[in-house]
Coordinates of all heavy atoms in Angstrom, one line a residue:
M3 N -30.1 7.8 -3.7 CA -29.3 7.6 -2.5 C -27.8 7.5 -2.9 O -27.5 6.8 -3.8 CB -29.8 6.3 -1.8 CG -29.1 6.0 -0.6 SD -29.9 4.6 0.2 CE -30.0 5.2 1.9
E4 N -27.0 8.1 -2.1 CA -25.6 8.1 -2.3 C -25.0 6.7 -1.8 O -25.3 6.2 -0.8 CB -24.9 9.2 -1.5 CG -23.4 9.3 -1.8 CD -22.8 10.5 -1.0 OE1 -23.6 11.4 -0.7 OE2 -21.6 10.4 -0.8
Q5 N -24.1 6.2 -2.7 CA -23.5 4.9 -2.4 C -22.2 5.2 -1.7 O -21.3 6.0 -2.1 CB -23.2 4.1 -3.6 CG -22.8 2.7 -3.3 CD -22.8 1.9 -4.6 OE1 -22.9 2.4 -5.7 NE2 -22.6 0.6 -4.5
L6 N -21.9 4.5 -0.5 CA -20.7 4.7 0.2 C -19.6 3.9 -0.4 O -19.8 2.8 -0.8 CB -20.9 4.3 1.7 CG -21.9 5.1 2.5 CD1 -22.1 4.6 3.9 CD2 -21.5 6.6 2.5
K7 N -18.4 4.4 -0.3 CA -17.2 3.8 -0.8 C -16.7 2.7 0.3 O -16.8 2.9 1.5 CB -16.1 4.8 -0.9 CG -14.8 4.3 -1.5 CD -13.8 5.4 -1.6 CE -12.6 5.0 -0.9 NZ -11.5 6.0 -0.9
K8 N -16.3 1.6 -0.2 CA -15.8 0.5 0.6 C -14.5 1.0 1.3 O -13.6 1.6 0.7 CB -15.5 -0.7 -0.2 CG -15.1 -1.9 0.6 CD -15.0 -3.1 -0.2 CE -14.5 -4.3 0.7 NZ -14.2 -5.5 -0.1
I9 N -14.3 0.6 2.6 CA -13.1 1.0 3.3 C -12.0 0.0 2.9 O -12.2 -1.2 3.0 CB -13.3 0.9 4.8 CG1 -14.4 1.9 5.2 CG2 -12.0 1.1 5.6 CD1 -14.8 1.9 6.7
T10 N -10.9 0.5 2.4 CA -9.8 -0.3 1.9 C -8.8 -0.6 3.0 O -8.8 0.1 4.1 CB -9.1 0.4 0.7 OG1 -8.5 1.6 1.2 CG2 -10.1 0.7 -0.4
N11 N -7.9 -1.5 2.7 CA -6.8 -1.8 3.6 C -5.9 -0.5 3.8 O -5.4 -0.3 4.9 CB -5.9 -3.0 3.2 CG -6.7 -4.3 3.3 OD1 -7.7 -4.4 3.9 ND2 -6.1 -5.3 2.7
M12 N -5.7 0.2 2.7 CA -5.0 1.5 2.8 C -5.6 2.5 3.8 O -4.9 3.1 4.6 CB -4.8 2.1 1.5 CG -3.8 1.4 0.6 SD -3.3 2.2 -0.9 CE -4.9 2.8 -1.6
D13 N -7.0 2.5 3.8 CA -7.7 3.4 4.7 C -7.5 2.9 6.2 O -7.2 3.7 7.1 CB -9.2 3.4 4.4 CG -9.5 3.9 3.1 OD1 -8.8 4.8 2.6 OD2 -10.6 3.5 2.5
K14 N -7.5 1.6 6.4 CA -7.3 1.1 7.7 C -5.9 1.3 8.2 O -5.7 1.7 9.4 CB -7.6 -0.4 7.7 CG -9.0 -0.8 7.4 CD -9.2 -2.3 7.3 CE -10.6 -2.7 6.9 NZ -10.8 -4.1 6.8
V15 N -4.9 1.1 7.4 CA -3.5 1.4 7.8 C -3.3 2.9 8.0 O -2.6 3.2 9.0 CB -2.6 0.8 6.7 CG1 -1.1 1.3 6.9 CG2 -2.6 -0.7 6.6
T16 N -3.9 3.7 7.2 CA -3.7 5.2 7.5 C -4.4 5.6 8.8 O -3.8 6.3 9.6 CB -4.4 6.0 6.3 OG1 -3.8 5.6 5.1 CG2 -4.3 7.4 6.5
L17 N -5.5 5.0 9.1 CA -6.1 5.3 10.4 C -5.3 4.8 11.6 O -5.1 5.5 12.5 CB -7.5 4.6 10.5 CG -8.2 4.8 11.8 CD1 -8.5 6.3 12.1 CD2 -9.6 4.0 11.8
A18 N -4.7 3.6 11.4 CA -3.8 3.1 12.5 C -2.6 4.0 12.6 O -2.2 4.2 13.8 CB -3.4 1.7 12.1
L19 N -2.0 4.5 11.5 CA -0.9 5.4 11.7 C -1.3 6.7 12.4 O -0.6 7.3 13.2 CB -0.3 5.8 10.3 CG 0.6 4.8 9.7 CD1 0.9 5.1 8.2 CD2 1.9 4.7 10.5
L20 N -2.5 7.2 12.1 CA -3.0 8.4 12.8 C -3.2 8.1 14.3 O -2.9 8.9 15.1 CB -4.4 8.8 12.2 CG -4.3 9.5 10.8 CD1 -5.7 9.6 10.3 CD2 -3.6 10.8 10.9
L21 N -3.7 6.9 14.6 CA -3.8 6.5 16.0 C -2.5 6.5 16.7 O -2.4 6.7 17.9 CB -4.6 5.2 16.2 CG -6.0 5.2 15.8 CD1 -6.6 3.8 15.8 CD2 -6.8 6.1 16.7
E22 N -1.4 6.1 16.0 CA -0.1 6.0 16.5 C 0.7 7.4 16.4 O 1.9 7.4 16.4 CB 0.7 4.9 15.8 CG 0.3 3.5 16.2 CD 0.7 3.2 17.6 OE1 1.7 3.7 18.2 OE2 0.0 2.3 18.2
E23 N -0.1 8.4 16.2 CA 0.5 9.8 16.1 C 1.4 10.0 14.9 O 2.4 10.7 14.9 CB 1.2 10.2 17.4 CG 0.3 10.2 18.5 CD 0.9 10.6 19.8 OE1 2.2 10.8 19.9 OE2 0.2 10.6 20.8
G24 N 1.1 9.2 13.8 CA 1.8 9.4 12.5 C 3.0 8.6 12.3 O 3.6 8.7 11.2
K25 N 3.5 7.9 13.3 CA 4.7 7.1 13.1 C 4.6 5.7 13.8 O 4.2 5.7 15.0 CB 5.9 7.8 13.7 CG 7.2 7.2 13.5 CD 8.4 8.0 14.0 CE 9.7 7.4 13.8 NZ 10.8 8.2 14.3
A26 N 4.8 4.6 13.1 CA 4.6 3.3 13.7 C 5.3 2.2 12.9 O 5.6 2.4 11.7 CB 3.1 3.0 13.7
R27 N 5.6 1.2 13.6 CA 6.1 -0.1 12.9 C 4.9 -0.9 12.5 O 3.8 -0.7 13.0 CB 7.0 -0.8 13.9 CG 8.3 -0.1 14.3 CD 9.1 -0.9 15.2 NE 10.3 -0.2 15.4 CZ 11.3 -0.8 16.1 NH1 11.2 -2.0 16.6 NH2 12.5 -0.1 16.2
I28 N 5.2 -1.9 11.7 CA 4.1 -2.8 11.3 C 3.5 -3.5 12.5 O 2.2 -3.6 12.5 CB 4.7 -3.9 10.3 CG1 5.0 -3.1 9.0 CG2 3.7 -5.0 10.0 CD1 5.6 -4.0 7.9
S29 N 4.2 -3.9 13.5 CA 3.6 -4.5 14.6 C 2.7 -3.6 15.4 O 1.7 -4.0 15.9 CB 4.7 -5.1 15.6 OG 5.5 -4.0 16.0
D30 N 3.0 -2.3 15.4 CA 2.1 -1.3 16.1 C 0.8 -1.2 15.3 O -0.2 -1.0 15.9 CB 2.8 0.0 16.2 CG 4.1 0.0 17.0 OD1 4.2 -0.8 17.9 OD2 5.0 0.8 16.7
I31 N 0.9 -1.2 14.0 CA -0.2 -1.0 13.1 C -1.1 -2.3 13.3 O -2.3 -2.2 13.3 CB 0.2 -0.8 11.6 CG1 0.9 0.5 11.5 CG2 -1.0 -0.9 10.7 CD1 1.6 0.7 10.1
Q32 N -0.5 -3.4 13.3 CA -1.2 -4.7 13.4 C -2.1 -4.7 14.7 O -3.1 -5.4 14.8 CB -0.3 -5.9 13.4 CG -1.0 -7.2 13.1 CD 0.0 -8.3 12.9 OE1 1.2 -8.2 13.3 NE2 -0.4 -9.3 12.2
F33 N -1.6 -4.0 15.7 CA -2.4 -3.9 17.0 C -3.8 -3.3 16.8 O -4.7 -3.7 17.4 CB -1.6 -3.1 18.0 CG -2.3 -2.9 19.3 CD1 -2.4 -3.9 20.3 CD2 -2.9 -1.7 19.6 CE1 -3.1 -3.7 21.4 CE2 -3.6 -1.4 20.7 CZ -3.7 -2.4 21.7
H34 N -3.9 -2.3 15.9 CA -5.1 -1.6 15.7 C -6.0 -2.2 14.6 O -7.2 -1.8 14.6 CB -4.8 -0.2 15.2 CG -4.1 0.6 16.3 ND1 -4.7 1.1 17.4 CD2 -2.8 1.0 16.4 CE1 -3.9 1.7 18.2 NE2 -2.7 1.7 17.6
V35 N -5.5 -3.0 13.7 CA -6.4 -3.5 12.6 C -6.3 -5.1 12.6 O -5.3 -5.6 13.1 CB -5.9 -2.9 11.3 CG1 -6.2 -1.5 11.2 CG2 -4.5 -3.2 11.0
T36 N -7.3 -5.6 12.0 CA -7.3 -7.1 11.9 C -6.9 -7.5 10.4 O -7.6 -8.0 9.6 CB -8.7 -7.7 12.1 OG1 -9.6 -7.0 11.3 CG2 -9.1 -7.5 13.6
L37 N -5.6 -7.1 10.2 CA -5.0 -7.4 8.9 C -3.7 -8.2 9.1 O -3.1 -8.1 10.2 CB -4.6 -6.2 8.1 CG -5.8 -5.2 7.7 CD1 -5.2 -3.9 7.1 CD2 -6.7 -5.9 6.7
S38 N -3.3 -9.1 8.2 CA -2.1 -9.8 8.3 C -0.9 -8.8 8.0 O -1.1 -7.8 7.4 CB -2.0 -10.9 7.3 OG -2.0 -10.5 6.0
K39 N 0.3 -9.2 8.4 CA 1.5 -8.4 8.1 C 1.6 -8.2 6.6 O 2.0 -7.1 6.2 CB 2.7 -9.0 8.8 CG 2.8 -8.9 10.2 CD 4.0 -9.4 10.8 CE 4.0 -9.2 12.3 NZ 5.3 -9.6 12.9
R40 N 1.3 -9.2 5.9 CA 1.4 -9.1 4.4 C 0.5 -8.1 3.9 O 0.9 -7.3 3.0 CB 1.1 -10.5 3.8 CG 1.3 -10.6 2.3 CD 0.9 -11.9 1.8 NE 1.8 -12.3 0.8 CZ 1.7 -13.5 0.2 NH1 0.9 -14.4 0.6 NH2 2.6 -13.8 -0.8
Q41 N -0.7 -8.0 4.3 CA -1.7 -7.0 3.9 C -1.3 -5.6 4.3 O -1.4 -4.7 3.5 CB -3.1 -7.3 4.5 CG -3.7 -8.6 3.9 CD -5.0 -8.9 4.6 OE1 -5.0 -9.0 5.8 NE2 -6.1 -9.1 3.9
I42 N -0.7 -5.5 5.5 CA -0.3 -4.2 6.0 C 0.9 -3.7 5.1 O 1.0 -2.6 4.7 CB 0.1 -4.3 7.5 CG1 -1.1 -4.5 8.3 CG2 0.8 -3.0 7.9 CD1 -0.9 -4.9 9.8
R43 N 1.9 -4.6 4.9 CA 3.0 -4.3 4.0 C 2.6 -3.8 2.6 O 3.1 -2.9 2.1 CB 4.0 -5.5 3.9 CG 5.1 -5.4 4.8 CD 6.2 -6.4 4.5 NE 6.9 -6.8 5.7 CZ 6.6 -7.8 6.4 NH1 5.7 -8.7 6.0 NH2 7.2 -8.1 7.6
S44 N 1.6 -4.5 2.1 CA 1.1 -4.2 0.7 C 0.5 -2.8 0.7 O 0.8 -2.0 -0.2 CB 0.1 -5.3 0.3 OG -0.5 -4.9 -0.9
A45 N -0.3 -2.5 1.7 CA -0.9 -1.2 1.8 C 0.1 -0.1 2.0 O 0.1 0.9 1.4 CB -2.0 -1.2 2.9
L46 N 1.1 -0.4 2.9 CA 2.2 0.6 3.1 C 3.0 0.8 1.9 O 3.4 2.0 1.6 CB 3.0 0.1 4.3 CG 2.4 0.3 5.7 CD1 3.2 -0.4 6.7 CD2 2.2 1.7 6.1
T47 N 3.3 -0.2 1.1 CA 4.1 -0.1 -0.1 C 3.3 0.8 -1.1 O 3.9 1.7 -1.7 CB 4.3 -1.4 -0.7 OG1 5.1 -2.2 0.2 CG2 5.1 -1.3 -2.0
T48 N 2.0 0.6 -1.2 CA 1.2 1.5 -2.1 C 1.2 2.9 -1.6 O 1.4 3.9 -2.4 CB -0.2 1.0 -2.2 OG1 -0.2 -0.4 -2.6 CG2 -1.0 1.8 -3.1
L49 N 1.1 3.1 -0.3 CA 1.1 4.5 0.3 C 2.4 5.2 0.1 O 2.5 6.4 -0.1 CB 0.7 4.4 1.8 CG -0.8 4.1 2.1 CD1 -1.0 3.8 3.5 CD2 -1.7 5.2 1.6
V50 N 3.5 4.4 0.2 CA 4.9 5.0 0.0 C 5.0 5.4 -1.5 O 5.5 6.5 -1.8 CB 6.0 3.9 0.4 CG1 7.3 4.4 -0.1 CG2 6.0 3.8 1.9
Q51 N 4.5 4.6 -2.4 CA 4.6 4.9 -3.8 C 3.8 6.1 -4.2 O 4.2 6.9 -5.0 CB 4.1 3.7 -4.7 CG 5.1 2.5 -4.6 CD 4.5 1.3 -5.3 OE1 3.3 1.2 -5.6 NE2 5.3 0.3 -5.5
Q52 N 2.7 6.3 -3.5 CA 1.9 7.5 -3.7 C 2.4 8.7 -3.0 O 1.9 9.8 -3.2 CB 0.4 7.2 -3.2 CG -0.3 6.2 -4.0 CD -1.7 5.9 -3.4 OE1 -2.1 6.4 -2.4 NE2 -2.5 5.1 -4.1
G53 N 3.4 8.6 -2.2 CA 4.0 9.7 -1.5 C 3.3 10.2 -0.2 O 3.6 11.2 0.3
M54 N 2.4 9.3 0.3 CA 1.7 9.7 1.5 C 2.3 9.3 2.8 O 2.1 9.8 3.8 CB 0.3 9.1 1.4 CG -0.5 9.6 0.2 SD -2.1 8.8 0.0 CE -3.0 9.3 1.5
V55 N 3.2 8.3 2.6 CA 4.0 7.7 3.8 C 5.4 7.6 3.4 O 5.7 7.3 2.2 CB 3.3 6.3 4.2 CG1 4.2 5.6 5.2 CG2 1.9 6.5 4.6
I56 N 6.3 7.7 4.4 CA 7.7 7.5 4.1 C 8.2 6.4 5.1 O 7.6 6.2 6.2 CB 8.6 8.7 4.3 CG1 8.5 9.3 5.7 CG2 8.3 9.8 3.2 CD1 9.4 10.5 6.0
Y57 N 9.2 5.6 4.6 CA 9.8 4.6 5.4 C 11.1 5.1 6.0 O 12.0 5.5 5.3 CB 10.0 3.3 4.6 CG 10.6 2.2 5.4 CD1 9.9 1.6 6.4 CD2 11.9 1.7 5.1 CE1 10.5 0.5 7.1 CE2 12.4 0.7 5.8 CZ 11.7 0.1 6.8 OH 12.3 -0.9 7.5
E58 N 11.3 5.0 7.3 CA 12.5 5.4 8.0 C 13.3 4.1 8.3 O 12.9 3.3 9.1 CB 12.1 6.1 9.3 CG 13.3 6.8 9.9 CD 12.8 7.6 11.1 OE1 12.7 7.0 12.2 OE2 12.6 8.8 10.9
I59 N 14.4 3.9 7.6 CA 15.2 2.7 7.7 C 15.8 2.5 9.1 O 15.8 1.4 9.6 CB 16.3 2.7 6.6 CG1 15.7 2.7 5.2 CG2 17.2 1.5 6.8 CD1 16.6 2.9 4.1
S60 N 16.3 3.6 9.7 CA 17.0 3.5 10.9 C 16.1 3.0 12.1 O 16.6 2.3 13.0 CB 17.6 4.8 11.3 OG 16.6 5.8 11.5
T61 N 14.8 3.3 12.0 CA 13.9 2.8 13.1 C 12.9 1.8 12.6 O 12.1 1.3 13.4 CB 13.1 4.0 13.7 OG1 12.3 4.6 12.6 CG2 14.0 5.0 14.3
A62 N 13.0 1.4 11.3 CA 12.1 0.5 10.7 C 10.6 0.8 10.9 O 9.8 0.0 11.2 CB 12.4 -1.0 11.2
S63 N 10.4 2.1 10.8 CA 9.0 2.6 11.0 C 8.5 3.4 9.8 O 9.3 3.9 9.0 CB 8.9 3.4 12.3 OG 9.7 4.5 12.2
Y64 N 7.2 3.6 9.7 CA 6.6 4.3 8.7 C 6.0 5.6 9.3 O 5.5 5.6 10.4 CB 5.5 3.5 8.0 CG 6.0 2.3 7.3 CD1 6.2 1.1 7.9 CD2 6.2 2.4 5.9 CE1 6.7 0.0 7.2 CE2 6.7 1.3 5.2 CZ 6.9 0.1 5.9 OH 7.4 -1.0 5.2
M65 N 6.1 6.7 8.5 CA 5.6 8.0 8.9 C 4.7 8.6 7.9 O 5.0 8.6 6.7 CB 6.7 9.0 9.2 CG 7.5 8.8 10.5 SD 8.6 10.1 10.9 CE 9.5 10.4 9.4
L66 N 3.6 9.2 8.4 CA 2.7 9.9 7.5 C 3.4 11.2 7.1 O 4.1 11.8 7.9 CB 1.4 10.3 8.2 CG 0.4 9.2 8.4 CD1 -0.7 9.6 9.3 CD2 -0.1 8.7 7.1
V67 N 3.2 11.6 5.8 CA 3.8 12.9 5.3 C 2.9 14.0 5.6 O 1.8 14.0 5.6 CB 4.1 12.8 3.8 CG1 4.7 14.1 3.3 CG2 5.1 11.6 3.6

């Protein structure tokens, strides 16, 4: 039997960004998931480092690449 992978905070944040049409602030993401702002920031930082998300300073929002 195949073992399923655990859903990570990065997966949850990515899904929330998709629900927000690829661009959102942390508060918008927090609306969709039951994570703290600290957990969301941590996941977003990792996604930015991996090049999957970019941070837009002028609007303080994150965008999927």
Side-chain angles (χ1 to χ4, degrees):
M3 178 176 227
E4 186 178 336
Q5 189 172 9
L6 296 176
K7 182 180 126 179
K8 184 178 177 184
I9 297 173
T10 65
N11 289 348
M12 289 190 311
D13 296 332
K14 293 175 185 178
V15 168
T16 302
L17 177 60
L19 278 169
L20 287 170
L21 291 171
E22 287 289 333
E23 299 178 359
K25 184 176 181 180
R27 293 179 174 190
I28 290 178
S29 59
D30 300 330
I31 294 170
Q32 196 172 23
F33 174 78
H34 294 287
V35 295
T36 54
L37 298 173
S38 68
K39 286 184 180 184
R40 182 184 220 175
Q41 290 172 309
I42 294 170
R43 260 193 213 97
S44 174
L46 286 168
T47 300
T48 303
L49 289 169
V50 167
Q51 290 172 350
Q52 292 177 354
M54 297 174 67
V55 171
I56 58 172
Y57 179 66
E58 191 175 85
I59 295 170
S60 61
T61 60
S63 59
Y64 293 86
M65 281 192 312
L66 287 172
V67 177

